[in-house]
Amino acid sequence: MNERVSAIPPGGRIGILGGGQLGRMLALAAANLGLTCHIYCPDADLPAGQVSAAVTRAAYDDAEALAAFAATVDVVTYEFENVPAETARILARHAPVRPGALALATSQDRLAEKSFLAAQGIATAPFAAVDTLNDLEEALARFGVPAILKTRRMGYDGKGQVKIDNLAGAGEAFAAMKGAPAILEGFVPFEREISVVAARGLDGAVAAYDPVENVHRHHILHQTFAPATLDKAVADQARAIAETILTRLDYAGVIGVEMFLMPEGSSGPRLLVNEMAPRVHNSGHWTQNACTVSQFEQHIRAICGWPLGDPARHSDAIMTNLIGDDVKDWQALAAEPATGVHLYGKSEARPGRKMGHVTRIYPRGTRP
Ligand code: AMP
């Protein structure tokens, strides 16, 4: 691309859809660059609103409120991928929406996402569209069991998906989709889960952070190990996959690309892409303490037309999410050396709720 674009200068205002912790950390990073944020969110408990210059509390389908919000900002971004297409269209009449409509449409629908990846020559688990029980039975006959049936839309953290362990379970699994369009994926016996957080600027420049390894508990990210222990060729390939996705989507901003690492010696490619999130990503939180420019600042730089920051890590890191009551340990955590503590300002520590995270850093090459 390399076109000259005018940057949004310090003093500019960024609109953010969504008021959770990602919006909060984006707003904090924007403040560091002399930019201010306006949060748009229907909820009352607003971690992002606490640290932003302005808040609009309204529904995502309130056309009038959306237009009024967008008229106050220089650019609109979002902290969640399920922004309705119509919402993005209304906003785009008043301010650029970054990442754009193509990134949203592709990542909102697991079938569109996997079809896009396949068209770029990027490997995924085998997949097939499932609209009827017959589609499901045919796909199961092709992929075998186990397999995973997922809703095409609105699924995250393992929600909206059923594992099918034997062919007789097809009917029950299909019923669990409650009529929603679905996708069947062959179950891939991966060795580890890794991800790449990367950014693309308005000038087409790409900057990828080191690939990291993610460990989940109860379908929620528990820890991220940075960097992932990988052969250089595999790490380079993971970064290259992220770069291809960013470029082909003509993307602006940060993306999180989740991948399965297949066991060494297995037939087929080592890396399969599971999904991509068109936003800052939980597996990129470690960059706040282990890189000069965090993923949050990088996203702000990218959507505002600033030069991207250097994604090199100065330290190794282990990021641990504080889920529910974990946050009660804040005093002990705050006393730990070489530990960044990040709390989200949420009023109630419900089980399963992300309340904060800590990032423990280690000199490069020495993480446990
Ligand atoms: P997702 O909601 O697609 O991110 O899936 C949630 C988790 O389910 C992933 O992090 C994997 O641990 C597991 N998973 C999803 N799809 C597959 C698959 N095709 N094969 C094996 N495990 C999977």
Side-chain angles (χ1 to χ4, degrees):
M1 207 164 58
N2 287 327
E3 72 200 44
R4 283 188 68 84
V5 280
S6 56
I8 297 168
R13 182 159 291 196
I14 298 161
I16 302 177
L17 297 182
Q21 65 269 16
L22 300 181
R24 175 187 180 95
M25 292 183 277
L26 284 168
L28 291 168
N32 246 350
L33 300 179
L35 297 149
T36 62
C37 289
H38 184 166
I39 305 297
Y40 188 105
C41 185
D43 304 335
D45 190 9
L46 281 188
Q50 294 166 12
V51 301
S52 294
V55 174
T56 295
R57 190 173 166 202
Y60 291 122
D61 61 358
D62 183 337
E64 225 170 282
L66 287 168
F69 158 76
T72 69
V73 301
D74 300 300
V75 60
V76 175
T77 191
Y78 39 88
E79 59 147 29
F80 64 107
E81 53 270 43
N82 292 315
V83 175
E86 181 57 19
T87 301
R89 253 194 307 276
I90 294 169
L91 294 166
R93 283 188 215 126
H94 304 272
V97 176
R98 295 175 184 149
L102 178 61
L104 269 177
T106 308
S107 54
Q108 279 176 356
D109 177 338
R110 291 185 195 275
L111 181 62
E113 182 175 61
K114 294 226 156 52
S115 305
F116 162 80
L117 292 166
Q120 317 311 319
I122 295 171
T124 66
F127 66 95
V130 170
D131 294 319
T132 64
L133 181 56
N134 192 42
D135 292 342
L136 176 57
E137 286 168 346
E138 275 181 21
L140 278 172
R142 276 197 288 140
F143 303 158
V145 286
I148 303 187
L149 186 63
K150 302 179 178 181
T151 54
R152 279 171 58 176
R153 293 178 162 275
M154 303 299 271
Y156 63 96
D157 287 350
K159 295 191 176 75
Q161 48 180 280
V162 194
K163 186 157 170 243
I164 302 176
D165 288 310
N166 53 63
L167 297 177
E172 196 182 322
F174 186 74
M177 298 292 106
K178 300 195 178 93
I183 177 174
L184 185 75
E185 290 181 18
F187 187 85
V188 294
F190 59 81
E191 180 189 296
R192 284 178 277 153
E193 294 190 82
I194 68 162
S195 60
V196 175
V197 170
R200 186 167 178 269
L202 290 186
D203 60 358
V206 170
Y209 293 100
D210 287 322
V212 296
E213 180 173 339
N214 301 308
V215 175
H216 296 86
R217 270 192 193 165
H218 314 295
H219 296 291
I220 299 174
L221 181 64
H222 168 51
Q223 285 186 313
T224 296
F225 296 81
T229 305
L230 294 174
D231 292 343
K232 184 176 179 304
V234 177
D236 287 347
Q237 197 204 343
R239 277 197 209 88
I241 288 171
E243 176 158 1
T244 300
I245 293 170
L246 288 170
T247 306
R248 301 284 166 78
L249 289 174
D250 192 19
Y251 198 92
V254 163
I255 196 170
V257 183
E258 298 177 17
M259 305 176 195
F260 297 137
L261 176 71
M262 301 304 286
E264 205 170 351
S266 54
S267 63
R270 255 342 265 291
L271 292 173
L272 306 178
V273 172
N274 176 36
E275 63 182 4
M276 53 207 204
R279 52 171 170 79
V280 288
H281 195 256
N282 199 165
S283 74
H285 289 3
W286 64 278
T287 59
Q288 290 169 310
N289 296 104
C291 301
T292 310
V293 174
S294 74
Q295 65 160 349
F296 301 101
E297 178 174 332
Q298 194 75 302
H299 185 73
I300 299 296
R301 285 172 174 244
I303 63 169
C304 290
W306 289 37
L308 294 184
D310 180 359
R313 68 175 208 290
H314 54 66
S315 303
D316 291 358
I318 301 177
M319 189 286 313
T320 305
N321 271 333
L322 302 175
I323 307 288
D325 282 343
D326 294 349
V327 72
K328 290 191 174 151
D329 294 335
W330 62 270
Q331 248 169 323
L333 294 166
E336 278 188 30
T339 299
V341 179
H342 306 263
L343 305 178
Y344 304 152
K346 295 183 182 178
S347 47
E348 201 192 338
R350 291 193 292 271
R353 195 172 196 209
K354 290 176 180 169
M355 301 300 294
H357 65 272
V358 289
T359 299
R360 299 183 171 96
I361 63 168
Y362 309 87
R364 258 181 86 106
T366 69
R367 82 156 169 74

